[in-house]
Amino acid sequence: MLLSRLAHVSQAVAATSARSRKIALLAELFRDADADDVPIVIPYLAGRLPRGRLGIGWKLLGRPVTPASEPSLTVREVDARLTAVGAVTGTGSQAERGRLMGELMAAATDAEQAFLRGLLTGEVRQGALDAVAVEGLAEATGAPPADVRRAVMLAGSLRTVARALLAQGPTALDDFRLTVGRPVLPMLAHTAGSVAEAVDKLGACAVEEKLDGIRVQLHRADDDVRIYTRTLDDITDRLPELTTAALELKGDRFILDGEVIALDGDGRPRSFQEIAGRVGSRVDVATAAAAVPVSPVFFDALSVDGRDLLDLPFTERHAELARLVPEPMRVRRALVSGPDGGAASEKFLADTLARGHEGVVVKALDAPYSAGRRGASWLKVKPVHTLDLVVLAAEWGHGRRTGKLSNLHLGARTADGSFAMLGKTFKGMTDAMLTWQTERLTELAIEENGYVVTVRPELVVEIAYDGLQKSTRYPAGVTLRFARVVRYREDKTPAEADTVETLLAAHPEVTR
Ligand code: AMP
């Protein structure tokens, strides 16, 4: 397919607000495309590069190049050439990239040059295009749109399904069925501010414990058990306990969704780090398993006895789960609805936190399983921890943040009145905050060492974080998970900042 055709359709799609017109334009384009063009055509239409950003900025694109008078470039040739530009590295690479880009632009017509500029600078990005492309593909190939949508969900890739559909027609969709032994992307959750808000949004729902472990998808076909992570890596060999558990269940053909955790002698969860260490460990599996034995806790069933359950409401999927998996191996949950739902779920959350877990996931009882999506029917609620810490130093930023003091070194007070560094963050800052802190920290600077500016420990900043983890890098032996700035607390003095002692006391799960 010629790039000029694609550029023309891209412009026409952007110019119309009528969804049906967009679908018709895409269907027409797909009818003319080769199966091998589509994995490029689809991301280009959405304004994305198939292999991510290539680092070709305005500098390379800025120079005007006399356009070609006739279109000749094909989509595949353009993609190959852009990939080649992105691959140039080493000394003199900027000049070489400029030369290659110049050649490409000289082969492009005026309209094609405009399209390429938009593509490479991200200006032609069309967020909702993938959903329209699914409809366009269905129209072009005569496949039912719902079947195409489902295949895309199960394959986790629109491009893969599009190529197969255009090469083979609607029968290609048979290859994207839910099959035991072939993992699908797990359903994900959105965040809600409180359980009351989540219950209010979802109506009749299950409030489940949110366990801080590793997500697993367990497949069993007779005696063959496979375990996949949320990124679909096969970790069967790392977790032999799960194979044993799966073989003890009643059914012999199923796909279950759950979390792997490790419990200590009192039945309290061990830290995420220990479980992650277990999965990523390089020592032999038997030694690792003896040190940190893990157990699965299941919360969903995607397929049982060859029956695909994805489209069934959660109530029915859970009934299948309960038929197969004994209660101790299922996540603890409370069913709530109606006006008392808020209070009941608050109590469940409080109990869950007291048991040492990180929060709850609230799930609509009538919702299907949306593989690979952050569905609005699962809402996670975690209490946000905040601390008032002192800025000890800051690092000069890069890219957009060049010239700004960005990455903050954060300290908590210690018993002897000094400060112990707990970690760093450059997250959560607005542009205004960046400008303000650069000025303020420059005033407080006492030493500059390369890109780190050490400051007098006077500025107090409120930091939100998801939890603590052990760390040998920092003096208190712990660091913050997902620390981000909430706001500066100029109303507080460093003497009022939080102490290492209170921090450790608030996280017995890490310090035990
Ligand atoms: P997050 O990683 O904070 O986005 O939270 C989503 C993750 O929570 C999922 O991917 C699961 O690994 C985990 N999780 C723990 N308990 C549950 C549960 N009951 N239902 C769904 N996900 C859970």
Side-chain angles (χ1 to χ4, degrees), residues 186-191 207-216 230 257-261 272 297-300 314 331-333 358-363 374 378 380 382 466 481-482:
M187 177 160 173
L188 304 170
H190 272 292
T191 301
V207 184
E208 297 186 345
E209 285 189 333
K210 184 173 193 302
L211 312 171
D212 195 10
I214 304 271
R215 181 81 174 262
V216 285
R230 65 188 277 174
D257 189 4
E259 190 92 352
V260 170
I261 55 167
F272 170 76
V297 181
F298 296 105
F299 45 73
D300 217 314
F314 184 37
V331 84
R332 267 181 16 114
R333 65 199 308 244
E358 65 166 349
V360 291
V361 185
V362 184
K363 301 180 177 176
R374 232 168 246 297
W378 283 14
K380 60 188 173 190
K382 283 192 270 187
D466 281 4
R481 284 176 68 191
F482 298 117

Side-chain angles (χ1 to χ4, degrees), residues 1-9 29 32-33 37 41 70-78 112:
M1 169 169 290
L2 286 176
L3 180 69
S4 64
R5 175 88 201 278
L6 172 66
H8 184 74
V9 172
L29 183 76
D32 293 346
D37 288 334
V41 166
E70 290 297 320
S72 66
L73 288 166
T74 67
V75 170
R76 269 182 270 171
E77 182 186 349
V78 169
E112 290 169 329

Side-chain angles (χ1 to χ4, degrees), residues 104-119:
L104 175 59
M105 287 307 223
T109 63
D110 221 6
E112 290 169 329
Q113 284 192 358
F115 175 80
L116 287 173
R117 269 196 207 98
L119 178 68

Side-chain angles (χ1 to χ4, degrees), residues 13 18 37 67 139 151 268 300 302 324 436 450 472 493:
V13 169
D37 288 334
E139 194 170 308
R268 292 180 67 86
D300 217 314
L302 314 193
L324 221 64
W436 182 86
T472 50
T493 66

Side-chain angles (χ1 to χ4, degrees), residues 12-354:
V13 169
T16 172
S17 57
R19 194 177 154 85
S20 56
R21 178 75 192 128
K22 287 183 198 272
I23 294 170
L25 283 164
L26 292 182
E28 209 181 309
L29 183 76
F30 292 144
R31 273 189 208 105
D32 293 346
D34 268 0
D36 287 340
D37 288 334
V38 196
I40 303 166
V41 166
I42 289 179
Y44 274 25
L45 281 167
R48 292 187 312 258
L49 290 157
R51 278 166 294 274
R53 297 183 54 189
L54 296 173
I56 303 171
W58 279 108
K59 242 197 196 147
L60 285 183
L61 292 170
R63 291 175 223 138
V65 176
T66 314
S69 49
E70 290 297 320
S72 66
L73 288 166
T74 67
V75 170
R76 269 182 270 171
E77 182 186 349
V78 169
D79 197 56
R81 286 205 195 189
L82 286 177
T83 306
V85 178
V88 178
T89 52
T91 38
S93 59
Q94 196 66 4
E96 177 61 4
R97 287 159 74 112
R99 191 186 66 76
L100 292 173
M101 265 323 285
E103 271 181 18
L104 175 59
M105 287 307 223
T109 63
D110 221 6
E112 290 169 329
Q113 284 192 358
F115 175 80
L116 287 173
R117 269 196 207 98
L119 178 68
L120 292 165
T121 56
E123 273 175 14
V124 296
R125 199 154 295 162
Q126 302 197 43
L129 192 112
D130 284 359
V132 185
V134 163
E135 308 276 334
L137 264 176
E139 194 170 308
T141 57
D147 292 3
V148 181
R149 225 170 291 128
R150 195 165 207 286
V152 170
M153 173 175 100
L154 291 176
S157 159
L158 169 58
R159 283 182 248 165
T160 311
V161 174
R163 172 189 250 153
L165 255 179
L166 287 186
Q168 299 163 46
T171 54
L173 296 182
D174 294 346
D175 290 342
F176 299 101
R177 288 229 178 87
L178 181 64
T179 311
V180 179
R182 201 194 290 156
V184 293
L185 290 167
M187 177 160 173
L188 304 170
H190 272 292
T191 301
S194 70
V195 261
E197 177 194 319
V199 171
D200 203 40
K201 265 196 191 142
L202 299 181
C205 53
V207 184
E208 297 186 345
E209 285 189 333
K210 184 173 193 302
L211 312 171
D212 195 10
I214 304 271
R215 181 81 174 262
V216 285
Q217 196 173 96
L218 185 147
H219 291 233
R220 174 173 167 189
D222 298 320
D223 290 342
D224 189 19
V225 177
R226 295 272 120 203
I227 296 145
Y228 302 96
T229 62
R230 65 188 277 174
T231 45
L232 312 188
D233 296 317
D234 186 333
I235 52 165
T236 313
D237 296 340
R238 306 266 4 139
L239 303 173
E241 299 99 316
L242 266 66
T243 299
T244 310
L247 291 173
E248 281 168 6
L249 297 181
K250 277 191 218 128
D252 53 15
R253 200 170 185 81
F254 50 78
I255 305 176
L256 304 179
D257 189 4
E259 190 92 352
V260 170
I261 55 167
L263 298 172
D264 67 13
D266 305 330
R268 292 180 67 86
R270 293 172 71 159
S271 72
F272 170 76
Q273 257 180 321
E274 288 177 277
I275 304 152
R278 180 54 218 279
V279 174
S281 162
R282 290 191 194 282
V283 300
D284 74 281
V285 174
T287 311
V292 184
V294 295
S295 28
V297 181
F298 296 105
F299 45 73
D300 217 314
L302 314 193
S303 161
V304 172
D305 297 336
R307 216 172 118 232
D308 176 339
L309 310 178
L310 294 179
D311 291 330
L312 297 183
F314 184 37
T315 315
E316 290 178 43
R317 298 199 309 277
H318 195 272
E320 287 295 311
L321 178 73
R323 203 166 62 76
L324 221 64
V325 178
E327 190 167 354
M329 230 192 275
R330 297 199 307 262
V331 84
R332 267 181 16 114
R333 65 199 308 244
L335 295 180
V336 303
S337 65
D340 297 335
S345 48
E346 292 285 0
K347 176 162 186 329
F348 186 84
L349 171 62
D351 287 350
T352 302
L353 296 176

